């Protein structure tokens, strides 16, 4: 029996269809019960956009009990799904995102080929959590992965186009532009970013119901600036006992940590040609982006976890500390937040009492930063795939 279980989880098609089955069941359950809240948000805001009504106001937030924090570009891209029958759209969204995520892992560079299955298996539970909630974070995640793979294959334009699609729908995606410094023709790629960004920003002008689409962008930025919540989000700024010191000064903390990372990144410029360093840099960047955000949720970590997993498996020597942190991640992000594996009240109690999930990821992030900028012996040169 043990051999059968091992064979099942080592077979990529078995694991894929297991996840696909769960995604189909979860989507069906939510459609029947009418509880696909995030999808309703995408649907209602897109309808309002095409009717010439701005979703970036307090009336919308109060009516839907949620702020719409995506750009007008999102409403244009989402339109083909919006116009599908009400029952079909959620399936296209969830199953499409699940399959694209799977494809992103499958197409990882050759240096990661023997680890693809283990990375996918590690992330499967987190992916299904985002699918169950109709989250947009999975899109940011697989765009990051696709763009990284395209850069490794010297497909700069297509990588930058994907990054800018992500950046112009939700700001998380823009951070990946920093990794362009590690690749040839850096200024050409930044030029692509400017051109693609300008074209995408102007894309909502296809809806002639608005006299000036830039008014929508201003309303969006005002909405984001006024977006407040009394809840404790799942990030280091909110973790006890650090919250009284970090949260009141969160902008300063973010700027200082980011500045230190930038200094370390440029200090180690000789490692930019190292495949492992590029993975570690992306793991550190995405980890910072989520961990030090002022509004992260458990689902948001799907953006950072793939690059941590890549950095982990690429390490030539994994110590007992690395394995301990890895399994703590599995427990805190893959098992405890999954209702069928752990009661919601128990997960909430463990998180609110000990903040193990946040501190575990924080130490994993520190470990990745050390791998990237520590002594040269911690990094081995792996040739870039061209």
């Amino acid at each position: 029996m043990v051999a059968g279980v091992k064979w099942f989880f080592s077979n990529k098609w078995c694991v894929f269809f297991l996840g696909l089955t769960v995604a189909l069941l979860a989507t069906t359950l939510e459609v029947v019960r009418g509880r696909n809240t995030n999808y309703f948000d995408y649907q209602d805001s897109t309808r309002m956009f095409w009717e010439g009504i701005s979703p970036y106001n307090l009336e919308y937030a109060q009516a839907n009990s949620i702020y719409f924090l995506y750009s007008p570009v999102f409403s244009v891209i989402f339109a083909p799904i919006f116009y599908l029958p009400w029952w079909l759209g959620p399936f296209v969204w969830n199953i499409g995102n699940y399959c694209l995520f799977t494809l992103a892992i499958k197409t990882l560079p050759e240096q990661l080929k023997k680890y693809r299955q283990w990375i996918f298996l590690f992330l499967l539970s987190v992916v299904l959590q985002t699918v169950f909630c109709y989250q947009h974070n999975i899109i940011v995640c697989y765009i990051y992965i696709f763009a990284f793979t395209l850069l490794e294959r010297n497909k700069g334009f297509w990588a930058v186009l994907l990054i800018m699609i992500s950046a112009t729908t939700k700001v998380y995606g823009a951070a990946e532009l920093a990794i362009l410094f590690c690749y040839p023709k850096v200024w050409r790629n930044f030029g692509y970013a400017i051109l693609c960004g300008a074209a995408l920003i102007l894309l909502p002008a296809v809806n002639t119901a608005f006299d000036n689409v830039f008014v929508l962008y201003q309303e969006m930025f005002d909405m984001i600036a006024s977006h407040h919540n009394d809840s404790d989000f799942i990030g280091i700024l909110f973790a006890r006992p650090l919250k009284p010191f970090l949260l009141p000064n969160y902008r300063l903390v973010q700027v200082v940590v980011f500045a230190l990372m930038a200094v370390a990144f440029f200090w180690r410029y000789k490692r930019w040609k190292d495949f492992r360093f590029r993975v570690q840099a992306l793991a550190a960047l995405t980890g910072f982006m989520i961990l030090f955000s002022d509004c992260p949720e458990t689902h948001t970590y799907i953006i950072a976890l793939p690059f941590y997993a890549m950095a982990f498996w690429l390490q030539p020597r994994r110590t007992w500390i690395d394995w301990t942190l890895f399994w703590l991640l599995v427990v805190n992000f893959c098992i405890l937040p999954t209702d069928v594996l752990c009661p919601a009240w128990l997960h909430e109690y463990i998180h609110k009492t000990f903040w193990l999930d946040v501190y575990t990821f924080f130490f994993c992030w520190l470990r990745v930063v050390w791998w990237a900028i520590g002594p040269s012996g911690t990094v081995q040169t792996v040739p870039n795939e061209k």
Side-chain angles (χ1 to χ4, degrees):
M1 182 176 178
V2 174
V5 172
K6 184 178 180 180
W7 172 85
F8 181 89
F9 285 104
S10 62
N11 186 296
K12 62 181 180 181
W13 289 110
C14 289
V15 175
F16 168 75
F17 282 111
L18 171 65
L20 183 63
T21 301
V22 174
L24 282 167
L25 290 174
T27 306
T28 303
L29 181 63
E30 293 300 283
V31 168
V32 170
R33 296 194 298 181
R35 290 180 53 186
N36 42 335
T37 307
N38 283 317
Y39 186 83
F40 289 151
D41 186 34
Y42 309 144
Q43 193 176 50
D44 292 344
S45 58
T46 299
R47 174 184 52 78
M48 292 175 66
F49 170 79
W50 289 104
E51 291 177 354
I53 304 170
S54 171
Y56 306 106
N57 52 64
L58 290 177
E59 289 78 14
Y60 176 87
Q62 291 168 355
N64 294 272
S65 300
I66 192 169
Y67 290 90
F68 183 64
L69 302 177
Y70 304 91
S71 80
V73 178
F74 176 88
S75 297
V76 176
I77 297 174
F78 185 75
I81 299 178
F82 166 73
Y83 284 108
L84 292 173
W86 68 268
W87 58 269
L88 181 58
F91 285 94
V92 173
W93 174 268
N94 271 346
I95 303 308
N97 283 330
Y98 174 76
C99 291
L100 284 170
F101 174 83
T102 303
L103 181 62
I105 298 298
K106 179 179 175 58
T107 56
L108 280 171
E110 192 67 22
Q111 297 93 324
L112 286 159
K113 183 176 181 179
K114 65 179 179 179
Y115 306 119
R116 291 172 187 165
Q117 179 69 5
W118 300 114
I119 293 170
F120 182 77
L121 193 58
F122 166 65
L123 296 169
L124 181 60
S125 174
V126 187
V127 169
L128 293 176
Q129 292 168 37
T130 66
V131 166
F132 195 82
C133 300
Y134 297 84
Q135 286 284 330
H136 178 269
N137 294 317
I138 190 174
I139 299 177
V140 181
C141 172
Y142 64 65
I143 284 180
Y144 260 87
I145 298 171
F146 277 130
F148 165 66
T149 300
L150 287 166
L151 285 169
E152 289 297 317
R153 293 174 179 169
N154 203 25
K155 307 290 184 182
F157 173 78
W158 298 108
V160 169
L161 177 60
L162 284 178
I163 293 171
M164 294 313 298
I165 289 173
S166 181
T168 54
T169 52
K170 198 170 185 181
V171 71
Y172 278 136
E176 194 172 9
L177 290 173
I179 202 66
L180 295 180
F181 284 105
C182 293
Y183 295 91
K185 301 179 181 178
V186 56
W187 300 118
R188 183 197 64 177
N189 288 335
F190 276 115
Y192 288 154
I194 294 171
L195 293 175
C196 292
L200 287 163
I201 288 171
L202 291 173
L203 185 62
V206 298
N207 181 7
T208 56
F210 293 100
D211 294 330
N212 186 351
V213 72
F214 291 103
V215 173
L216 278 180
Y217 286 106
Q218 183 61 55
E219 292 176 353
M220 179 192 71
F221 288 124
D222 291 342
M223 175 64 72
I224 293 173
S226 63
H227 174 225
H228 297 290
N229 193 311
D230 294 331
S231 303
D232 279 348
F233 288 100
I234 318 298
I236 198 67
L237 299 173
F238 301 87
R240 292 162 180 68
L242 301 178
K243 179 180 176 181
F245 305 100
L246 298 183
L247 191 58
N249 306 295
Y250 73 97
R251 287 295 183 226
L252 178 62
V253 173
Q254 291 168 340
V255 169
V256 169
V257 175
F258 182 78
L260 291 173
M261 288 179 59
V263 169
F265 176 74
F266 285 101
W267 174 49
R268 290 300 192 185
Y269 71 94
K270 292 182 179 179
R271 298 186 184 178
W272 291 357
K273 294 182 179 180
D274 187 309
F275 176 79
R276 188 178 297 131
F277 175 82
R278 294 192 293 274
V279 172
Q280 292 163 352
L282 276 171
L285 177 65
T286 54
F288 160 79
M289 191 172 63
I290 308 306
L291 192 62
F292 288 87
S293 171
D294 43 313
C295 55
E297 299 175 306
T298 301
H299 307 120
T300 319
Y301 283 82
I302 186 62
I303 299 171
L305 287 172
F307 290 100
Y308 167 77
M310 294 179 209
F312 175 83
W313 288 110
L314 283 172
Q315 276 303 106
R317 294 181 59 190
R318 292 178 286 275
T319 68
W320 67 270
I321 296 176
D322 300 322
W323 281 109
T324 300
L325 289 172
F326 175 83
W327 287 111
L328 282 173
L329 273 186
V330 171
V331 170
N332 283 283
F333 286 93
C334 302
I335 297 176
L336 294 183
T338 306
D339 289 349
V340 296
L341 301 178
C342 174
W345 65 265
L346 179 59
H347 171 230
E348 187 72 8
Y349 172 78
I350 293 173
H351 164 68
K352 292 294 185 182
T353 306
F354 305 106
W355 287 77
L356 280 178
D357 45 2
V358 173
Y359 281 113
T360 296
F361 189 81
F362 177 66
F363 286 114
C364 288
W365 177 75
L366 289 178
R367 188 66 171 158
V368 167
V369 171
W370 173 251
W371 288 339
I373 67 170
S376 57
T378 63
V379 179
Q380 294 180 355
T381 300
V382 182
N384 189 15
E385 178 181 315
K386 296 296 184 183

